[in-house]
Structure formats: structure tokens, C-alpha cells
Amino acid sequence: MSAETRPGTPVRPADTRGSASGRGLSRLDRDLRNALVLFAVSIVLIFASRGLGPGFGSLAQIKAILLISSFVMVVAFGQQMVVLIGGLDLSVASMMTLGGILAFNWIGDSSAALVWGVPAILLVTAAIGACSGIGISLLGVPPFIMTLAMGIMLYGATLGFTQGTPTGAASPMLSALFAPTAIGVPMLYLMVLFTLAGWFVQTRTAFGRRLYALGINPTAAYVAGLPVRRLTIATYAISGASAGLGGILLVGYVSGVTLMMGQSYLLPSVAAVVIGGTSIVGGRGIYPGAVAGAILLTTLSTIVSSLGIPEGWRTIIYGAVIFVALVLLRDDLQHLLGRRRRKPGKD
Amino acid sequence: MKMRGNGKGLLFAAALAACAGAAFHGPAEAQDKKFKIYLSMSYSGNGYQTETSNLIKALAATPPYDKMVELKTVISGTDVQAQASAYESMISAGADAIITFPISATGLNRAIHHACEKHVLVYTYSATVTEPCARTVSYITAGFAQNTAQWLVNTLNGKGKVFIDRGVPGNSVDKMNYDGAMSVFKKYPGIQIIAEYYGMWSSQATQQETAKALAAHPDVDAVFGENGEDGIVKAMLAAGMQKLVPVTGENTNGFRLALANPDLRKRGLTGISSGDPINVSGYAFKLMMEELTGKRKVSVHNIEYPLPWVPADKVKVCAGDKFEDGCNAFPADKVPDSFNTEVFDPVLTPELSLTSALNGTPTPGATIQPLPGDIVRQAPDVPGINCGKCEAPADLFKLTKVQATVQP
């Protein structure tokens, strides 16, 4: 039995875990340690790839990896919140596409429209996410069925809305986020800010703590008087908004939209969350972990796709690494390793 | 129409054909009644699919076809079986003709063969099938890849590092394109393929994959691309490359505009815009109507659509909504960058305009113009693409648009 289902686990388990042994890295919160390990693995991978080509391990490659991983990162934020309460959001692909299409259509090439356009789009995608939350919490539809259905309906809606050919333009200000300037690429700074903000919301706000409580034991959370339904609806709304934001950013990057643009982000968003140490049954995991997972996934795919090996092998390697990462980062395995280092009886 | 099968099947088919006699309309009564025509799409949702179907809808609503044609559209999804059963429903609903984007080159043969037996005319556009009784209208065999690859080799003077941006893995069209390009690249030992990736025929995936490859190989000299090639240019710009390299690709509007951009040209961008034309569906529909109404006898099964070929210095932005005065791209505010530009052709489909492609509506005042008399070109056999048990001609990948100016 993994740690989070034991009775008596405090509302914020992250605080009390891994602090027992008190030496070096292990003094750190275990979830944060996971994240740091993933970052380290990414760095090692990048440097290990040196010599494979002139650009491998270069600053340009690192920048490209970070920029490309930013979309997975943003979508993974909402996905992780949902996973934290024991759910899953399969509508993020269509939601991302919707965000992109709306940004293309509503904001267009006007910079002024960004001011109202971005909040408006986030509201729309949050409202749709909230609908999924209502279906799940009030009607009792299983999350993956509800969000799958929502994703399909959204896909149909965007298809009908655009007739297959979205019209509009990409906002130059959005594109500027991804353009190199004298002080680096603006998006990279935003990524750091977004990561810190996400982490703060999860671990330093009442809302975040309630999500962990809900994920650890919904019944206990309900008995303790937490507004379970409202929390669920709000969480799916956040997932909708973050997928919508991912779509808006993607328009800035590619300066265009397609009706399938979100498709390639659904699996990575789940994989990044899980690789990042978030328990798929809910209750534990922190955003820096998901961010590190997103970066590791992108690093891998970047290196593998630049190696010039056949696509079949690339996919096998990609899948194998995700598998190995999941096995190595498994909660009970970590728990076991942690226990071995501790004095018996203390855990 | 050719019939195959054993004696029993033939007898059965004959009996069915006799029963369906009333539903079979010869040329004589063509003008008196409405033709029941089905547009069968496998999937929808990318611009390409929607644009191709819009052209057919627009033509079917253009006089005099608006009075002669009852067009019904069926989208059956990415499942082969679903499209096959959609064909069967159309046959039993008394279709005169089916015009279709087939999801599989081989999986639909049985249903198509059944349609032919029932004297339903079957035309496929863009994608092909190997069933010999169907008419396939496609650019696939027109030599896109080998010609653009040779152009690239000529431009590089036979020496350089090249990226290959492929389409969707496992797709027969992607394989055809790849084989065509490699038939050229392999001849030149000075050409080094340093990265090969799948852009999924999408601008966005192409941009990301190119960005990854550029980060690892900033010393690239040229990029060979399939559809989504505007993403290649965007990736180079996003990577901050001052000196741009030649790019070949298909006909997205963003790519054509980039090729016409004087600043980018000054930084070294050049290329060829070629590839899969949307208008193949419009041409297929007109050809099908001419055969159905008895205006033309089509004896060729695999019909080749001519390859678009627009070098960088020939890109011309249109003032209006039609290809007039040799223009071949639209201003950026009219269509998205990923819009496939070859939506009509002044010779094959003068009835169409940009709004036809975007909305499926006919061009006001336009009437259907007959196709030029000698327009039908036979496509070469390609096993698994447009024929089953056949052999590809030895010169399948011959050059048709460019000459090799550099020898290996």
C-alpha cells in the first residue's frame, strides 16, 4: 500500500515526507527531489548527446528544447491538477485547438485585442472545462468518459465553426514571445514564472491543499466538510483554461492554426505529469515535477528525432524510456528505497 | 465497364444489374433528371479535406449543374470498414456516381467493385485505390518529389547537408514521395542527409520537428519538405538564422508568401512550391460529370493531375479572389499560412474562386465550362498505389520539370 492511502496522512503530505533522514538531498521534499533528478537527467542527456552532431548539446538546442516543451508544460499544469484529485482530462487536445482557433480569430494581428482576447478565451475554455467538472461531480460520469466526450464534442464544434479552414491571423505580440531578443527569449522567463506560480498555488494556498486532501481520500475530504463538488468543477475549469492558454501560445509559436494542432499534446501532457512523480490515483505530486517531466520528454524526442534512426525505432525508444521512467519513479519503489535508508520503526 | 469474378458472381451481378436497370441512366436521358451523386469523405477536419470537398460542393451548385445534380456528402471517419459500408449504402440508395477521398488504397476495393457492377461511376480524388474499375484522379504520380529534389541538388551544386521532412509514417503517398526524393539524392555522394523527420503534413508539427533538427544541426544547407513546409521557414526564422537556406515544399500560402518576400530572399531563401493541389477534386468532379452526362468517353482508369510548379521568382500575389494574370498566392490577411494555395486552375476549373474553396459556394455569375478536349493524362502504374498486380515502369521517377544540371 502506498503512503498516501494510509489513514492519518496530513492534508499536505508533501511537507511531512522525506524529511526524516536529514542528510543532503534527502532533506528535500521527495517530490522536489524527483523533479531535480529529472532535470539532471535531461541535462545529462543533452551533454551525453554531444558529438552526435555539431548542434547537439549547444545553447541553441537547449533553447529549442525549452521552447518546445513550454506547450506541454502549460497543458500539463491543468492536467496535473485534475490528476491530483484522481481524475483525468482527455479533452485537453480539443481544448488547446479551440484556444488556438479563438486566438487566431478573435485576437488576430491586433496587439490591443490581446488585453481582452486572452482573458476571454481563458474564460471560454474554463467554462467548458467546468462543464466537464459538472458532469463528473454532479452526474457521476467517470472523468475519462466525460472528458473524452467533451473533447469529441469540442472537436465537432470547432470543425463546424471554422468549416475546416480557420481564418484570422497570429498576433505579432504572441509571436514575439518566442523570438530571440537581446536578453534571451521572453517565453523562457515566462516559463519560470509560470512554474513558480503553479507551485505556489498547489502548495501555499488553501485551494491547493484542499486538492491534495480530495485526491488522497474523497470520502474523508467530504466528511471533513470540503466542498468536493465545487473543488472538482474548479479543477476541471483550471485544466480547460491551461489547455486554452497552451493553444494561444502555440499560435504565437507557429503563427497559424490547424484543426488537429492540439492532438499531439494529449499523451505528452499525461506522460509529463506521471513521469514528474504525480500519483495517477491522485493526492501527490508537485508542478515542478510535471515541468521537469515535460522537459525530459521533449529532450528525449529532440535527441531521438535528430539521430536519423528510422521512425519505428524512434517510437520504440521513446516508449521504452517513458516506461522505464515510470517504473523507476513508481511511488512504492521510492518508498521502499526511502525506507531502506531510514532507521526501522521510524516510518 | 470491366467485370470480374467467377461465373456465379457474373450471373448474380447481371441479375442485379437488370434489377437496377431503372437506376442506370444512360447519356440519352442525362439532361432530363437529377443525378444522384454522393461525395464520400473518409475524414474531415484538416484544411485540405475541407477545401477539396468545398470545391466539389461549389461546382455542383454552379449552373447548369445546380439543376442537374443532387449532391449528398457522407463523412465516415478514419475507419476503412465504415467507408466501405458507406459506399454500400450509397449503392443501395441508387447512386449514379460516387466521388470519394478513399481512406485506403486497397481496403475499399470490394465495395468499389460492387459499385461498378451496379453501374455506379466511382471517381477517387487525391488519394487512389488499386481497384481497376474506379477512376482515380491524383497528382501522386506526377513526380513531385524527384523534381523538387533534383532542383535542390542543382541549387546546391551537388554538395551539401540536407534535412528531409516527411509526411505521415506508413502512408503510401509519403513512401512514394520519399522514394522519389531518394532516387535523386542517392545518386549524389556529395549530398548528405543529416536529419529525417516526420512533419505529419502539418505546419505546426513540421515547425517543431524542424526546430529540433535545426538545433542539433545548425549547419544544414537545404531542406526538402512535404506539405506543412511553411513551418520549415518559420522554424528557421524562429531559430534566428541570419542566412536562410533553400527549401522545397508544397503549396501552402505562407510558404509562397515567404518565397516572395524580398527581405527573406535577400537572406538566401529560395525554393520551389509544388505538391498536392487541392483542385484535383474539382477536376475529378468535372471529369466525372462529363463522363456521366455522356459528353466525354473516359477510357483511362488512372488519371494524372498536372504537377504545380512555382519557383520562388514566379510567386505572384493575387489582387482578387481568382488566379488571374498568372498570380498564385493570396495576401496574408485573406487566408491562413497553412492554407493550400492550389485551389483552382484557370484552365481546368475557371468557375471557382477563393470563396468556393473557403465556403463551398459557387462563384456568382459563373457557369460550368467544358474541360479541354485532350486533357486526360494516363498516370503510370504504381503497385499498391493505383494498381494491384502490376509493375512500376522503370522510369517511374523520371524527371519531368527540371533537368539535372549537376552530374554526380
Side-chain angles (χ1 to χ4, degrees), chain B residues 1-5 10 113 116-117 131-135 301:
Chain B
M1 219 153 277
K2 223 188 281 176
M3 280 203 195
R4 292 193 314 184
L10 207 71
H113 190 70
C116 296
E117 284 177 341
E131 167 54 48
C133 80
R135 309 249 192 273
H301 281 294

Side-chain angles (χ1 to χ4, degrees), chain B residues 184-238:
Chain B
V184 172
F185 290 140
K186 268 189 197 143
K187 278 192 270 180
Y188 294 87
I191 296 290
Q192 229 185 315
I193 310 292
I194 53 170
E196 202 184 293
Y197 48 86
Y198 287 89
M200 313 301 283
W201 292 324
S202 131
S203 304
Q204 162 231 339
T206 301
Q207 182 176 348
Q208 292 199 17
E209 290 302 314
T210 310
K212 290 178 188 174
L214 276 178
H217 305 281
D219 55 339
V220 66
D221 297 309
V223 186
F224 169 89
E226 293 187 24
N227 192 261
E229 70 287 345
D230 58 314
I232 298 173
V233 179
K234 284 178 182 151
M236 291 202 289
L237 296 175

